[in-house]
Amino acid sequence: MVKCWNILLIVVVTISLVYAKKHKPTIPVKPIYLEDGESTHLKDIKQITNGGTNAEAYFSFDNKRLSFQAITGPLGETHPCDQIYSMNIDGSDIQQVSTGKGRDTCSFYYPDGKHMLYSSTMAYSSYCAPVPDPDYGYVWPIYKEMEIFQVDLGTGELVQLTDNDAYDAETTISPTGDFAVFTSTRDGDLEIYSMALNGSDVRRLTYTPGYDGGPVISYNGKMVAWRADRPIGQALTDYLNLLELGIVMPTQMELYVLTDVNNPLSVVQLTNNGKVNFAPYFLPDDSGLIFSSSILSPHSSSSYFILSYSILALLVLVYLYDK
């Protein structure tokens, strides 16, 4: 087992996103204030939208636009589940990308900037897929109707990249622009796979029981990082029972990295703190990850951290910010 270090670190602000057809960004009335110590690491924070329910924004390859999912505007009132949108990074020129059917998630630009992929339940129903029963508590839905689509941003033409009775989502494209990674239940568990950008050459990357999800690829295209819940004993039985119902309970997740995308055995565990660690993303020089974690809070709210490592071992972790 690789020894893991807990770390304290950078706190950043998450921006909310909203849809409104081709308008200038909404400027917040009140200024944005940083918490004590945050100004050491953050500057020029700007709120570019205001209102609606919005999430999961990703930059285009030229860093000029964002793709994101939202429930907002007139469509959000008549179809109250996520659809896919794009906008300039200043919040202007917001465009609806998806069809307005089904429940959508996990959008990502192709390298050419002319295509985007996202996951949707629209192939099975034009209506919103149902949300989980609240009696189960805080859970995430795992829709077996969720498939991955490619859309031409100029014509709106859709190409379905996956077609099976399984959850296919959480897709990101390599910065090298030649392959993608995604999460799927096609083999009976939530595992991570790679594929060519046209949906071919699907390869399984993870093999341990439990939820492996949210994969991202390093800038050199050689590594993959993700979040995982690796339950054992009764906890594994409970996980599998919930998965059979189409839900997971994300109460504990650790971070892992595959140091060689072509070798499923090259797995290194990066955190081991028993908390919720998620949303990893490689630093531009691939020297580490920025990620979100609840390790500072007994109430499971999240802050952002940076983890420095080498391919062979974790290196020095510096306390950049300690409340």
Side-chain angles (χ1 to χ4, degrees), residues 3 13 19 21 35 59 67 86 99 101 104 115 124 127 199 207 233 249 255 264 266 279 288 297:
K3 186 175 181 181
V13 175
Y19 163 73
K21 203 81 163 177
E35 297 289 338
F59 284 97
S67 67
S86 70
T99 63
K101 300 177 180 179
D104 303 334
H115 296 82
Y124 296 84
Y127 298 101
Y207 290 86
M249 187 174 293
L255 298 185
S266 64
S297 173

Side-chain angles (χ1 to χ4, degrees), residues 61 108-112 172-180 195-198 217-222:
F61 274 69
F108 211 91
Y109 271 96
Y110 275 73
D112 64 7
T172 59
I173 294 177
S174 172
T176 57
D178 53 351
F179 73 103
M195 67 176 180
L197 298 188
N198 64 1
I217 305 168
S218 60
Y219 282 83
N220 63 15
K222 297 179 180 180

Side-chain angles (χ1 to χ4, degrees), residues 80-102:
C81 58
D82 284 313
Q83 293 293 298
I84 302 302
Y85 301 89
S86 70
M87 67 177 176
N88 291 329
I89 60 172
D90 65 358
S92 64
D93 190 31
I94 297 178
Q95 302 282 339
Q96 182 180 330
V97 173
S98 57
T99 63
K101 300 177 180 179

Side-chain angles (χ1 to χ4, degrees), residues 218-229:
S218 60
Y219 282 83
N220 63 15
K222 297 179 180 180
M223 298 181 287
V224 177
W226 72 95
R227 61 177 181 255
D229 178 15

Side-chain angles (χ1 to χ4, degrees), residues 6 37 53 58 60 106 111 125 127 137 150 154 171 186 190 202 223 236 243 279 290 297 313:
N6 293 343
T53 301
Y58 290 95
S60 60
C106 304
S125 174
Y127 298 101
Q150 178 197 84
T171 312
R186 61 186 58 208
L190 283 159
V202 175
M223 298 181 287
L236 177 57
L243 185 59
I290 186 170
S297 173

Side-chain angles (χ1 to χ4, degrees), residues 7 250-253 273-278 291-305:
I7 61 172
T251 56
Q252 181 176 325
M253 290 183 289
N273 52 48
K275 299 294 185 177
V276 178
N277 305 274
F278 67 105
F291 68 98
S292 184
S293 178
S294 64
I295 62 175
L296 293 184
S297 173
H299 305 296
S300 296
S301 61
S302 297
S303 299
Y304 276 83
F305 301 84

